[in-house]
Amino acid sequence: MKYSKPYLSPSEQIELLVSRGMHVQDTDVAQQYLVGIGYYRLSAYWFPFRKKIPSSPVPAPSITGRYMVLDEFVEDANFQNIIDIYNFDRKLRLIILDALERIEIALRTDVALLLGKLSPVAHRHQQYLNGNFTRHIPKEKNNTRHFEWLERQDHLFLRSKEIFAQHFKTKYNSDAHPPIWIAVEAWDFGLLSVFFQGMKPEDQNNIALKYKIPNGLLLSKWIRSLNDCRNICAHHGRLWDRGVVNYPEWEQLSDNEFLCHILMNKVSCRKIYSTFLCIAYFMRSMSFGADWLKDFILHMQSFPAGSCLSLSDAGFPKDWETLPIWVIDQ
Protein backbone atom coordinates (compact mmCIF):
# COMPACT_ATOMS: atom_id res chain seq x y z
CA MET A 1 0.00 0.00 0.00
CA LYS A 2 1.43 3.35 -1.06
CA TYR A 3 1.63 6.13 1.57
CA SER A 4 -0.62 8.95 0.39
CA LYS A 5 -0.96 11.41 3.28
CA PRO A 6 0.26 14.91 2.36
CA TYR A 7 2.85 16.98 4.20
CA LEU A 8 1.28 19.34 6.73
CA SER A 9 2.93 22.41 8.20
CA PRO A 10 2.53 22.95 12.00
CA SER A 11 -0.30 25.43 11.42
CA GLU A 12 -2.04 22.92 9.14
CA GLN A 13 -1.52 20.22 11.77
CA ILE A 14 -3.37 22.42 14.27
CA GLU A 15 -6.21 22.90 11.80
CA LEU A 16 -6.43 19.14 11.37
CA LEU A 17 -6.54 18.56 15.13
CA VAL A 18 -9.23 21.20 15.59
CA SER A 19 -11.30 19.72 12.75
CA ARG A 20 -11.21 16.40 14.59
CA GLY A 21 -12.46 17.92 17.84
CA MET A 22 -9.30 18.91 19.71
CA HIS A 23 -9.66 22.10 21.77
CA VAL A 24 -6.66 24.38 21.17
CA GLN A 25 -6.76 27.40 23.45
CA ASP A 26 -3.60 29.09 22.19
CA THR A 27 -2.56 28.30 18.62
CA ASP A 28 0.80 30.04 18.98
CA VAL A 29 1.75 27.89 21.98
CA ALA A 30 0.45 24.77 20.23
CA GLN A 31 2.56 25.55 17.18
CA GLN A 32 5.67 25.97 19.34
CA TYR A 33 5.16 22.49 20.79
CA LEU A 34 4.48 20.92 17.41
CA VAL A 35 7.67 22.50 16.06
CA GLY A 36 9.76 21.57 19.09
CA ILE A 37 8.42 18.05 19.73
CA GLY A 38 6.72 16.85 16.58
CA TYR A 39 3.22 15.77 15.64
CA TYR A 40 3.79 12.02 15.78
CA ARG A 41 5.62 12.03 19.12
CA LEU A 42 2.73 13.97 20.64
CA SER A 43 0.19 11.72 18.95
CA ALA A 44 1.12 8.95 21.39
CA TYR A 45 -0.16 11.18 24.18
CA TRP A 46 -3.45 12.15 22.56
CA PHE A 47 -4.21 8.58 21.46
CA PRO A 48 -6.31 7.89 24.62
CA PHE A 49 -8.41 10.96 23.77
CA ARG A 50 -9.53 9.55 20.42
CA LYS A 51 -13.04 8.17 20.20
CA LYS A 52 -13.53 4.41 20.25
CA ILE A 53 -16.37 2.25 19.03
CA PRO A 54 -16.83 -1.53 19.34
CA SER A 55 -14.83 -3.23 16.61
CA SER A 56 -16.53 -4.88 13.68
CA PRO A 57 -15.93 -8.57 12.96
CA VAL A 58 -13.95 -7.54 9.87
CA PRO A 59 -10.22 -7.00 10.63
CA ALA A 60 -8.98 -3.48 9.97
CA PRO A 61 -5.72 -1.61 10.58
CA SER A 62 -7.42 0.81 12.96
CA ILE A 63 -8.74 -1.89 15.26
CA THR A 64 -7.07 -2.14 18.66
CA GLY A 65 -8.27 -4.99 20.86
CA ARG A 66 -12.06 -4.96 21.07
CA TYR A 67 -12.36 -1.38 19.84
CA MET A 68 -11.84 0.53 16.64
CA VAL A 69 -10.08 3.84 17.28
CA LEU A 70 -11.42 6.79 15.31
CA ASP A 71 -9.60 9.94 14.17
CA GLU A 72 -12.06 12.15 16.04
CA PHE A 73 -11.43 13.19 19.64
CA VAL A 74 -13.69 12.88 22.66
CA GLU A 75 -15.59 15.97 23.71
CA ASP A 76 -13.20 17.32 26.37
CA ALA A 77 -9.89 16.65 24.58
CA ASN A 78 -7.67 19.71 24.78
CA PHE A 79 -4.14 20.40 23.65
CA GLN A 80 -2.92 21.77 26.99
CA ASN A 81 -3.83 18.52 28.71
CA ILE A 82 -1.75 16.65 26.13
CA ILE A 83 1.23 18.90 26.86
CA ASP A 84 0.78 18.44 30.61
CA ILE A 85 0.86 14.66 30.20
CA TYR A 86 3.87 14.88 27.87
CA ASN A 87 5.80 16.96 30.41
CA PHE A 88 4.77 14.62 33.22
CA ASP A 89 6.09 11.66 31.23
CA ARG A 90 9.33 13.45 30.35
CA LYS A 91 10.08 14.08 34.02
CA LEU A 92 9.03 10.53 34.90
CA ARG A 93 11.62 9.13 32.48
CA LEU A 94 14.35 11.17 34.18
CA ILE A 95 13.30 9.92 37.62
CA ILE A 96 13.24 6.32 36.43
CA LEU A 97 16.62 6.65 34.68
CA ASP A 98 18.10 7.90 37.94
CA ALA A 99 17.00 4.69 39.69
CA LEU A 100 18.01 2.42 36.81
CA GLU A 101 21.50 3.92 36.78
CA ARG A 102 21.95 3.03 40.45
CA ILE A 103 20.55 -0.48 39.96
CA GLU A 104 22.68 -1.16 36.88
CA ILE A 105 25.91 -0.03 38.55
CA ALA A 106 25.13 -2.04 41.69
CA LEU A 107 24.42 -5.22 39.73
CA ARG A 108 27.53 -4.84 37.56
CA THR A 109 29.60 -4.47 40.73
CA ASP A 110 27.91 -7.54 42.25
CA VAL A 111 28.85 -9.60 39.19
CA ALA A 112 32.45 -8.35 39.17
CA LEU A 113 32.98 -9.03 42.88
CA LEU A 114 31.45 -12.49 42.69
CA LEU A 115 33.14 -13.80 39.55
CA GLY A 116 36.38 -11.87 39.99
CA LYS A 117 37.21 -14.07 42.99
CA LEU A 118 37.12 -17.12 40.70
CA SER A 119 39.18 -15.66 37.87
CA PRO A 120 39.98 -12.17 36.58
CA VAL A 121 38.53 -13.27 33.23
CA ALA A 122 35.77 -15.57 34.50
CA HIS A 123 33.31 -13.88 32.12
CA ARG A 124 35.27 -15.31 29.16
CA HIS A 125 35.48 -18.98 30.19
CA GLN A 126 32.96 -21.81 30.06
CA GLN A 127 33.78 -23.37 33.43
CA TYR A 128 32.51 -20.32 35.30
CA LEU A 129 29.24 -19.92 33.38
CA ASN A 130 26.04 -21.75 32.52
CA GLY A 131 26.64 -24.47 29.92
CA ASN A 132 23.50 -23.52 28.01
CA PHE A 133 24.98 -20.05 27.56
CA THR A 134 28.48 -21.16 26.58
CA ARG A 135 27.94 -24.39 24.60
CA HIS A 136 24.43 -24.42 23.13
CA ILE A 137 24.02 -22.89 19.67
CA PRO A 138 20.45 -21.60 19.22
CA LYS A 139 18.53 -22.52 16.10
CA GLU A 140 19.29 -20.26 13.11
CA LYS A 141 22.48 -19.04 14.84
CA ASN A 142 26.09 -19.81 13.97
CA ASN A 143 27.52 -19.34 17.46
CA THR A 144 26.63 -19.60 21.12
CA ARG A 145 25.03 -16.69 22.94
CA HIS A 146 28.23 -16.39 24.96
CA PHE A 147 30.34 -16.02 21.81
CA GLU A 148 28.02 -13.31 20.47
CA TRP A 149 27.96 -11.62 23.87
CA LEU A 150 31.78 -11.55 24.00
CA GLU A 151 31.94 -10.02 20.53
CA ARG A 152 29.57 -7.27 21.60
CA GLN A 153 31.40 -6.67 24.88
CA ASP A 154 34.84 -6.52 23.21
CA HIS A 155 33.49 -4.14 20.58
CA LEU A 156 32.15 -1.78 23.24
CA PHE A 157 35.42 -1.87 25.17
CA LEU A 158 37.44 -1.25 22.02
CA ARG A 159 35.29 1.80 21.17
CA SER A 160 35.23 3.17 24.72
CA LYS A 161 36.77 6.62 25.20
CA GLU A 162 36.64 6.37 29.00
CA ILE A 163 39.95 7.01 30.79
CA PHE A 164 40.05 3.52 32.34
CA ALA A 165 39.63 1.88 28.92
CA GLN A 166 42.18 4.15 27.20
CA HIS A 167 44.70 3.46 29.99
CA PHE A 168 44.29 -0.30 29.69
CA LYS A 169 44.56 -0.28 25.88
CA THR A 170 47.70 1.90 26.04
CA LYS A 171 49.48 -0.10 28.75
CA TYR A 172 48.74 -3.66 27.64
CA ASN A 173 49.10 -5.66 24.42
CA SER A 174 46.29 -5.54 21.89
CA ASP A 175 45.44 -9.18 22.62
CA ALA A 176 45.13 -8.60 26.40
CA HIS A 177 41.65 -8.84 27.85
CA PRO A 178 40.61 -6.57 30.73
CA PRO A 179 39.63 -8.30 33.99
CA ILE A 180 35.97 -8.46 34.79
CA TRP A 181 36.17 -5.61 37.32
CA ILE A 182 37.32 -3.33 34.47
CA ALA A 183 35.24 -4.91 31.70
CA VAL A 184 31.93 -4.35 33.50
CA GLU A 185 32.45 -0.59 33.32
CA ALA A 186 31.92 -0.77 29.55
CA TRP A 187 28.76 -2.89 29.77
CA ASP A 188 25.38 -1.41 28.98
CA PHE A 189 22.18 -2.67 30.59
CA GLY A 190 21.56 -5.03 27.69
CA LEU A 191 24.95 -6.71 28.10
CA LEU A 192 24.36 -7.02 31.83
CA SER A 193 20.94 -8.58 31.26
CA VAL A 194 22.21 -11.20 28.79
CA PHE A 195 25.27 -12.04 30.90
CA PHE A 196 23.26 -12.46 34.08
CA GLN A 197 21.06 -14.98 32.27
CA GLY A 198 24.25 -16.85 31.35
CA MET A 199 25.62 -17.13 34.88
CA LYS A 200 25.47 -20.33 36.90
CA PRO A 201 22.27 -20.61 38.97
CA GLU A 202 24.16 -20.66 42.26
CA ASP A 203 25.90 -17.39 41.38
CA GLN A 204 22.63 -15.82 40.28
CA ASN A 205 21.08 -16.92 43.58
CA ASN A 206 23.88 -15.36 45.61
CA ILE A 207 23.24 -11.97 44.04
CA ALA A 208 19.46 -12.34 44.31
CA LEU A 209 19.71 -12.98 48.05
CA LYS A 210 21.47 -9.65 48.54
CA TYR A 211 18.24 -7.95 47.40
CA LYS A 212 15.93 -10.39 49.25
CA ILE A 213 14.72 -11.87 45.97
CA PRO A 214 13.99 -15.62 46.30
CA ASN A 215 16.20 -16.84 43.45
CA GLY A 216 18.39 -15.80 40.56
CA LEU A 217 15.94 -16.91 37.87
CA LEU A 218 13.38 -14.46 39.19
CA LEU A 219 16.00 -11.71 39.38
CA SER A 220 17.03 -12.47 35.79
CA LYS A 221 13.46 -11.86 34.62
CA TRP A 222 13.33 -8.63 36.59
CA ILE A 223 16.55 -7.43 34.97
CA ARG A 224 15.11 -8.09 31.50
CA SER A 225 12.09 -5.96 32.36
CA LEU A 226 14.31 -3.19 33.74
CA ASN A 227 16.38 -3.28 30.56
CA ASP A 228 13.22 -2.82 28.46
CA CYS A 229 12.24 0.14 30.63
CA ARG A 230 15.72 1.62 30.32
CA ASN A 231 15.53 1.36 26.50
CA ILE A 232 12.17 3.17 26.45
CA CYS A 233 13.59 5.98 28.58
CA ALA A 234 16.85 6.21 26.63
CA HIS A 235 14.94 6.58 23.35
CA HIS A 236 12.50 9.12 24.85
CA GLY A 237 9.50 6.85 24.37
CA ARG A 238 6.15 7.22 26.10
CA LEU A 239 6.50 5.52 29.48
CA TRP A 240 3.75 6.35 31.93
CA ASP A 241 1.00 3.98 30.68
CA ARG A 242 3.18 1.54 28.76
CA GLY A 243 2.30 -2.12 28.48
CA VAL A 244 5.17 -4.48 29.32
CA VAL A 245 6.43 -7.27 27.05
CA ASN A 246 9.02 -8.87 29.33
CA TYR A 247 6.98 -8.25 32.44
CA PRO A 248 8.43 -9.24 35.83
CA GLU A 249 7.24 -12.39 37.49
CA TRP A 250 6.35 -12.84 41.14
CA GLU A 251 6.81 -16.53 42.02
CA GLN A 252 7.46 -17.30 45.70
CA LEU A 253 6.57 -13.75 46.74
CA SER A 254 3.14 -14.30 48.26
CA ASP A 255 4.56 -13.67 51.74
CA ASN A 256 6.48 -10.53 50.77
CA GLU A 257 4.68 -7.55 52.32
CA PHE A 258 5.94 -5.15 49.65
CA LEU A 259 5.06 -7.24 46.60
CA CYS A 260 2.18 -9.57 47.44
CA HIS A 261 -0.49 -7.08 46.38
CA ILE A 262 0.34 -7.53 42.69
CA LEU A 263 0.06 -11.32 42.57
CA MET A 264 -3.68 -11.42 41.85
CA ASN A 265 -3.85 -8.19 39.85
CA LYS A 266 -3.52 -9.26 36.20
CA VAL A 267 -3.74 -5.69 34.91
CA SER A 268 -0.97 -4.40 37.16
CA CYS A 269 1.24 -7.39 36.31
CA ARG A 270 1.29 -6.50 32.61
CA LYS A 271 1.52 -2.73 32.82
CA ILE A 272 4.46 -0.46 33.59
CA TYR A 273 3.44 -0.40 37.26
CA SER A 274 5.00 -3.85 37.61
CA THR A 275 8.39 -2.50 36.49
CA PHE A 276 8.06 0.51 38.79
CA LEU A 277 7.36 -1.93 41.62
CA CYS A 278 10.61 -3.80 40.87
CA ILE A 279 12.53 -0.53 40.87
CA ALA A 280 10.98 0.56 44.18
CA TYR A 281 11.87 -2.79 45.73
CA PHE A 282 15.50 -2.42 44.64
CA MET A 283 15.65 1.17 45.87
CA ARG A 284 14.48 0.16 49.33
CA SER A 285 17.69 -1.86 49.68
CA MET A 286 20.02 0.94 48.56
CA SER A 287 21.55 3.97 50.18
CA PHE A 288 19.48 7.10 49.52
CA GLY A 289 16.73 4.90 48.10
CA ALA A 290 14.15 6.47 50.39
CA ASP A 291 14.83 9.88 48.85
CA TRP A 292 14.24 8.46 45.38
CA LEU A 293 10.99 6.83 46.52
CA LYS A 294 9.75 10.15 47.92
CA ASP A 295 10.50 11.91 44.63
CA PHE A 296 8.78 9.18 42.63
CA ILE A 297 5.67 9.15 44.81
CA LEU A 298 5.34 12.94 44.74
CA HIS A 299 5.67 12.95 40.97
CA MET A 300 3.05 10.23 40.45
CA GLN A 301 0.69 12.14 42.74
CA SER A 302 1.08 15.14 40.41
CA PHE A 303 -0.31 13.22 37.43
CA PRO A 304 -2.55 15.55 35.38
CA ALA A 305 -5.56 13.25 35.41
CA GLY A 306 -8.52 13.97 33.19
CA SER A 307 -11.80 12.33 32.34
CA CYS A 308 -10.01 9.90 30.00
CA LEU A 309 -6.92 9.16 32.06
CA SER A 310 -5.86 8.08 35.51
CA LEU A 311 -2.93 6.20 37.05
CA SER A 312 -4.97 3.01 36.77
CA ASP A 313 -4.13 3.13 33.04
CA ALA A 314 -0.52 2.48 34.07
CA GLY A 315 -1.59 -0.40 36.31
CA PHE A 316 -1.52 1.48 39.61
CA PRO A 317 -3.94 -0.20 42.05
CA LYS A 318 -6.62 1.76 43.84
CA ASP A 319 -5.21 3.55 46.93
CA TRP A 320 -1.70 2.57 45.85
CA GLU A 321 -0.09 5.17 48.14
CA THR A 322 -1.26 3.21 51.20
CA LEU A 323 0.50 -0.02 50.16
CA PRO A 324 3.60 -0.87 52.27
CA ILE A 325 6.02 -0.54 49.33
CA TRP A 326 5.03 3.13 48.89
CA VAL A 327 4.82 4.11 52.57
CA ILE A 328 8.06 5.86 53.53
CA ASP A 329 9.13 6.30 57.14
CA GLN A 330 9.62 9.93 57.99
Side-chain angles (χ1 to χ4, degrees):
M1 181 177 179
K2 187 177 179 180
Y3 188 83
S4 58
K5 292 183 179 179
Y7 166 84
L8 297 178
S9 67
S11 60
E12 291 171 325
Q13 292 168 9
I14 293 172
E15 291 177 7
L16 178 63
L17 291 172
V18 170
S19 72
R20 292 175 173 177
M22 175 77 74
H23 297 283
V24 179
Q25 295 89 337
D26 190 322
T27 56
D28 290 337
V29 170
Q31 184 161 321
Q32 289 174 15
Y33 277 103
L34 287 166
V35 169
I37 300 171
Y39 181 96
Y40 278 97
R41 180 168 294 277
L42 286 174
S43 69
Y45 296 91
W46 65 58
F47 184 86
F49 293 88
R50 290 167 59 180
K51 291 180 179 179
K52 302 177 183 67
I53 60 174
S55 62
S56 66
V58 180
S62 57
I63 291 178
T64 302
R66 295 171 297 168
Y67 297 95
M68 183 164 61
V69 182
L70 305 180
D71 290 332
E72 290 74 25
F73 294 102
V74 298
E75 184 175 347
D76 58 351
N78 71 82
F79 195 83
Q80 185 57 52
N81 195 208
I82 306 304
I83 296 307
D84 292 342
I85 296 167
Y86 174 85
N87 286 327
F88 170 88
D89 196 47
R90 183 176 58 82
K91 185 174 180 181
L92 175 62
R93 289 195 297 270
L94 296 175
I95 293 172
I96 294 299
L97 278 173
D98 175 34
L100 291 175
E101 176 189 342
R102 302 189 210 186
I103 295 168
E104 178 185 349
I105 290 172
L107 288 170
R108 288 190 332 212
T109 304
D110 293 334
V111 170
L113 290 174
L114 184 66
L115 294 187
K117 291 187 297 184
L118 306 177
S119 166
V121 286
H123 57 302
R124 307 191 73 89
H125 296 293
Q126 292 184 2
Q127 65 264 39
Y128 302 112
L129 301 171
N130 190 315
N132 190 51
F133 182 55
T134 59
R135 292 190 289 272
H136 174 68
I137 299 177
K139 189 179 295 185
E140 300 180 357
K141 294 279 188 177
N142 296 321
N143 293 295
T144 65
R145 289 187 299 143
H146 182 226
F147 181 90
E148 293 183 345
W149 180 88
L150 278 174
E151 281 196 325
R152 172 67 177 158
Q153 184 222 227
D154 291 344
H155 177 68
L156 286 180
F157 191 81
L158 184 65
R159 286 177 45 197
S160 177
K161 304 299 182 184
E162 296 289 344
I163 292 176
F164 72 88
Q166 296 288 10
H167 172 75
F168 185 90
K169 288 180 283 189
T170 300
K171 187 172 182 178
Y172 297 98
N173 297 331
S174 59
D175 58 347
H177 297 299
I180 190 167
W181 51 84
I182 294 179
V184 294
E185 296 303 323
W187 294 6
D188 56 26
F189 215 133
L191 273 179
L192 169 65
S193 177
V194 173
F195 185 79
F196 192 88
Q197 292 175 56
M199 292 171 63
K200 288 185 175 181
E202 56 266 33
D203 292 330
Q204 293 176 331
N205 292 342
N206 282 333
I207 294 176
L209 288 175
K210 174 184 174 182
Y211 300 99
K212 298 181 181 180
I213 297 171
N215 58 70
L217 180 60
L218 191 60
L219 175 56
S220 181
K221 292 176 180 178
W222 282 25
I223 293 173
R224 286 177 62 194
S225 182
L226 297 182
N227 183 49
D228 288 349
C229 183
R230 184 263 172 201
N231 289 339
I232 293 169
C233 293
H235 293 94
H236 321 300
R238 191 189 81 257
L239 181 66
W240 82 269
D241 65 341
R242 197 75 173 236
V244 179
V245 177
N246 291 312
Y247 48 82
E249 295 186 12
W250 312 98
E251 302 97 331
Q252 304 176 43
L253 291 169
S254 59
D255 295 329
N256 188 300
E257 65 169 327
F258 295 127
L259 304 173
C260 61
H261 68 274
I262 198 173
L263 267 67
M264 302 304 293
N265 191 327
K266 292 183 179 180
V267 174
S268 295
C269 281
R270 287 164 173 75
K271 297 291 281 186
I272 198 65
Y273 175 81
S274 62
T275 304
F276 295 162
L277 188 61
C278 287
I279 294 171
Y281 191 75
F282 269 109
M283 297 306 287
R284 277 188 167 271
S285 69
M286 294 183 175
S287 300
F288 310 110
D291 290 338
W292 181 90
L293 281 164
K294 290 176 184 176
D295 290 342
F296 176 82
I297 293 166
L298 284 173
H299 184 63
M300 298 312 297
Q301 290 172 334
S302 74
F303 177 70
S307 60
C308 291
L309 300 175
S310 72
L311 287 180
S312 64
D313 295 306
F316 279 72
K318 184 179 179 182
D319 300 324
W320 64 272
E321 303 104 313
T322 65
L323 296 169
I325 187 73
W326 305 115
V327 176
I328 310 302
D329 296 331
Q330 300 299 322

